[in-house]
Amino acid sequence: MNSDKQSMQIIGRQLGTLRHGILKRGFTLIELLVVLAIVALLLTLAVPRYFQSIDTAKETVLADNLRITRETIDKFYSDTGRYPESLEELVEKKYLRALPVDPITESATTWIIVPPEDADQGNVYGINSGAPGNTRDGKPFAEL
């Protein structure tokens, strides 16, 4: 019986040590708060750069859409000797697959149509963005 009692005491000590070891391996509330504070600080540095890169990408896409659409209008003029009556005519005659979307307004219907000097040659000489506001450089979107 004595040996059984001693065996139980040894097992009890080992369990106590095991429990104590598990508790020592965990993190305290203070340690967790410090880690959360560091993560929050890093996010305050990263998030503004992320949104700035999104704005830069939208401006780049807008400039590309304007350039490609203006080139397409010029090709239409070279082929037909006149400017298109509308942007939809470029799609109907398969010069464009679809009307480009203004990434700032997220719409294909906000383009500002620039008519040619001679109204007999068509209605669409060029396009500008109908987005309000300015680029990051301070230039209005309508002047791109």
Side-chain angles (χ1 to χ4, degrees):
M1 284 262 195
N2 229 357
S3 67
D4 287 339
K5 192 173 186 180
Q6 287 176 346
S7 297
M8 293 298 265
Q9 287 176 350
I10 291 172
I11 292 173
R13 282 189 214 127
Q14 288 175 347
L15 285 176
T17 305
L18 183 62
R19 277 193 230 132
H20 191 265
I22 290 173
L23 290 177
K24 270 194 159 182
R25 284 189 234 145
F27 297 107
T28 65
L29 181 59
I30 299 297
E31 290 169 333
L32 291 174
L33 289 174
V34 168
V35 169
L36 286 175
I38 291 170
V39 169
L41 178 66
L42 291 174
L43 284 175
T44 60
L45 298 173
V47 170
R49 290 183 188 202
Y50 171 73
F51 286 117
Q52 181 181 3
S53 67
I54 289 176
D55 293 340
T56 302
K58 284 184 177 183
E59 289 176 16
T60 302
V61 170
L62 174 61
D64 284 346
N65 284 350
L66 288 169
R67 180 184 51 79
I68 290 169
T69 305
R70 289 170 181 158
E71 286 175 1
T72 304
I73 292 169
D74 291 342
K75 288 176 184 175
F76 183 91
Y77 181 79
S78 295
D79 291 345
T80 63
R82 66 175 184 85
Y83 293 105
E85 296 299 319
S86 67
L87 291 175
E88 288 80 14
E89 185 175 2
L90 295 173
V91 176
E92 290 169 7
K93 303 244 176 151
K94 303 205 186 296
Y95 282 87
L96 292 173
R97 288 186 183 181
L99 288 178
V101 174
D102 186 336
I104 308 299
T105 62
E106 298 178 355
S107 173
T109 61
T110 57
W111 298 113
I112 298 172
I113 305 296
V114 178
E117 291 178 9
D118 184 7
D120 294 336
Q121 291 188 347
N123 290 331
V124 183
Y125 174 74
I127 64 169
N128 290 327
S129 174
N134 299 325
T135 63
R136 289 180 308 111
D137 301 334
K139 190 173 185 180
F141 288 120
E143 292 181 11
L144 291 178

